[in-house]
Amino acid sequence: MSLFYQQKHGLTELSDAERAEMTALCKDYCDFITKAKIEREAVAESVQLAQAAGFVPYVSGMSLKAGDRIYYNNRGKGLMLAVIGTDPIDSGAAIVAAHIDAPRIDLKQNPLYESEELCLFKTHYYGGIKKYQWPAIPLELHGVVALKDGSVVTVSVGNQADDPIFTITDLLPHLGKDQMTKTMAEGVQGEALNVLIGSQPSDAEKDAVKANILSLLNESYGIEEEDFISAELCVVPAFPARDLGFDRSMIGGYGQDDRVCAYPALRAILECTAPRRTAVCILADKEEIGSEGVTGMKSKAFDRFMEDIAVSLGGTLRALFANSFCLSADVSAAFDPTYPEVTEKRNTARLNYGVCLCKYTGSRGKSGASDASAEVVAFVRRIFDEANVKWQMCELGKVDQGGGGTVAMYMAERNIDTIDAGVPVLSMHAPFETVAKFDVYMTYRAAKAVYHS
Ligand code: MN
Ligand code: MN
């Protein structure tokens, strides 16, 4: 037996049955992210799937027993699900946490304007984007407009075959001489991310194109210009997720960070019955802007959900957290042969090598903000190996090259043993991200392994 630690390409080791299961899972995943382009839609889709799998809405104070399947919808933007285990609740829960928000462009609160007989939306961006990647691609508009009477209008334009789409314009190369001398950070400015939405005038005397757009919006949604003040409207790429590569081994699509971990985690808990430890799945919002706000992972909404469960089963939140384990399921950067210089080859994630464990997350040139202990890493190695989960270990990039964090640190702060693990991604945070199907499949198996640990 060799003492060397040697990893192999995962696809060479799959049986036909496993390959079929992987393909089916990834097809469902593509459908999910094509429909769910923002966190609100991810919650709505997930709730439907949860109800079909026998989960019921949890109301504070509800009595609970082993085998119960519950979910809590946090303001339509975050979701928590649990399957109550047979062990005493004070012995801890098996938690998988992922996030369902993704980098995108949001409308400003006063977005609508006309300039030179074209109508546009002013925007600001949400999460870390490279601004130059967003002009000259097809875009959709998703979100809600909340009206003063308390009703909420849902907006989704661009997702259906005969819907119109939108775009952010860019300069033609012929006139881009000055632009092209700027750095990539400065070539497209934040205030240049204006979304083109119309060019047809009405018979109004002033701002006739804008007047026409407003009357169309009023017809479709019953809204007026002032209603944008209480709207959340998101501009996202207008393409479906689909197979990538001649061999169809990969998936390309928008918003895979972190729905590529959220969907496998969701599937794993929907398929979880009669666990020993209580199984919990958290689909959080706001990770891309620091996990702030009532629907982010820092929110007490999570503590309250967990405390309610603990109390209902005769335990305490303190004991529950202290004895729980959390897999913080978030993506990592995959090694890109076109840009090898930013990664350290021995400690980087590769496509098709399985779910990627990260001991040090949130680190920038130092040991991590949510450093999982050696003991926790050993525990995860054991449960993954026992469940035949193919995994790899990585750090995000070279030591001085930057870094990134996720929800892991907010779990660790709660006295929950946590490790970061997820799917390696190429072109992370771009409008079109790429993953390998094998790694999606292994992340699903990893979540299952946690729930049955
Ligand atoms: Mn992420
Ligand atoms: Mn991210």
Side-chain angles (χ1 to χ4, degrees), residues 42 47 90 123 146 181 198 203 229 316 400 435 450:
V47 164
D90 279 354
T123 68
T181 62
D203 52 14
I229 299 287
T316 65
D400 293 329
V435 301
V450 169

Side-chain angles (χ1 to χ4, degrees), residues 24 110 309 358 401 422 427 431:
N110 195 6
I309 291 176
C358 195
Q401 201 51 243
S427 314

Side-chain angles (χ1 to χ4, degrees), residues 99 257-258 287-288 330-331 406:
H99 68 92
D257 171 9
D258 183 38
E287 192 277 343
E288 296 296 355
D330 202 351
V331 298
T406 182

